Amino acid sequence: MIYLYDILDSTNNYLKERPEAFDNLSVIAARCQTAGRGQG
């Protein structure tokens, strides 16, 4: 499943906080990351 969010602090942090909510084939994407490593 693909999850698309308008804004997250970090997609990686979002996944770490909710490991049971997503399976191994999930894709998490954000239009804007405020603290993500790839934001620059």
Side-chain angles (χ1 to χ4, degrees):
M1 176 149 303
I2 299 172
Y3 299 89
L4 178 61
Y5 298 92
D6 285 328
I7 188 168
L8 290 175
D9 63 338
S10 165
T11 53
N12 199 26
N13 288 344
Y14 188 78
L15 286 169
K16 286 180 182 178
E17 294 168 1
R18 299 159 185 81
E20 70 287 340
F22 304 101
D23 63 23
N24 287 340
L25 298 176
S26 295
V27 174
I28 307 300
R31 295 181 193 278
C32 178
Q33 291 188 90
T34 58
R37 290 185 187 186
Q39 69 175 340

